[in-house]
């Protein structure tokens, strides 16, 4: 068995903790190790905050999709804003963050917390997509067995 869910959220700050709490609740119920759950929820919060902050005024909502199976949790956050800058400019954004910078740490934090990360733009439409995954560790007393 696997667990899959998708949320369509308003592009407002209150949506960020809601998405994190839903993910934490699902993983706690399934029996995912709390440290792994926390890392994924923090990465999700950063991806959602990125959508809220940068999607632009014409984008009223964003989408979060999460998938859990026995081995991995895969998460995608997509918005309909202008998307990430073109590749040469975006590569410069991914370098070291200056110590006095007020922004720019969220994407790097996602890279540190997840096993695999992809930052891109929606194919054929405007909007940014942040997708990441992480291997799951389970509590010894995990109530759900996802194998099926």
């Amino acid at each position: 068995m696997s667990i899959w869910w998708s949320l369509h959220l308003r592009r407002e700050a209150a949506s960020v903790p809601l998405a994190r709490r839903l993910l934490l609740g699902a993983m706690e119920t399934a029996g995912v190790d709390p440290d792994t759950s926390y890392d994924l929820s923090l990465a999700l919060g950063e991806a959602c905050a990125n959508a809220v902050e940068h999607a632009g005024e014409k984008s009223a909502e964003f989408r979060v999709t999460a998938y859990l199976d026995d081995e991995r949790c895969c998460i995608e956050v997509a918005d309909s804003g202008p998307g990430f800058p073109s590749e040469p400019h975006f590569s410069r954004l991914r370098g070291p963050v200056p110590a006095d910078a007020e922004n720019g740490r969220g994407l790097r934090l996602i890279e540190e917390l997840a096993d695999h990360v992809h930052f891109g733009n929606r194919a054929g439409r405007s909007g940014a997509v942040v997708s990441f995954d992480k291997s799951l560790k389970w509590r010894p007393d995990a109530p759900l067995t996802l194998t099926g």
Side-chain angles (χ1 to χ4, degrees):
M1 176 173 47
S2 61
I3 299 170
W4 176 90
W5 51 265
S6 184
L7 302 169
H8 291 262
L9 299 165
R10 281 191 239 167
R11 195 182 62 82
E12 57 188 42
S15 296
V16 177
L18 173 62
R20 282 190 69 190
R21 281 190 290 253
L22 286 168
L23 179 65
L24 280 169
M27 290 192 294
E28 180 182 358
T29 300
V32 175
D33 172 73
D35 290 337
T36 303
S37 297
Y38 180 78
D39 286 352
L40 284 165
S41 72
L42 186 56
L44 174 60
E46 292 298 332
C48 290
N50 190 71
V52 168
E53 177 72 22
H54 300 291
E57 294 302 318
K58 293 182 181 179
S59 178
E61 64 182 27
F62 65 98
R63 186 189 78 238
V64 175
T65 304
Y67 174 81
L68 269 70
D69 64 16
D70 286 336
E71 298 175 12
R72 309 197 74 64
C73 178
C74 304
I75 298 173
E76 179 180 280
V77 177
D79 64 52
S80 56
F84 287 107
S86 62
E87 188 56 39
H89 180 69
F90 186 57
S91 296
R92 285 194 303 273
L93 291 177
R94 295 179 72 184
V97 178
D100 61 346
E102 294 188 23
N103 294 325
R105 291 179 179 83
L107 298 180
R108 284 173 197 79
L109 187 57
I110 295 168
E111 290 177 323
E112 291 299 317
L113 294 168
D115 294 339
H116 305 99
V117 181
H118 175 74
F119 306 116
N121 292 319
R122 293 171 60 175
R125 301 192 276 186
S126 63
V129 177
V130 175
S131 57
F132 54 95
D133 65 61
K134 186 171 183 80
S135 294
L136 294 176
K137 295 178 185 170
W138 296 91
R139 293 189 329 247
D141 63 339
L144 291 181
T145 302
L146 297 177
T147 306

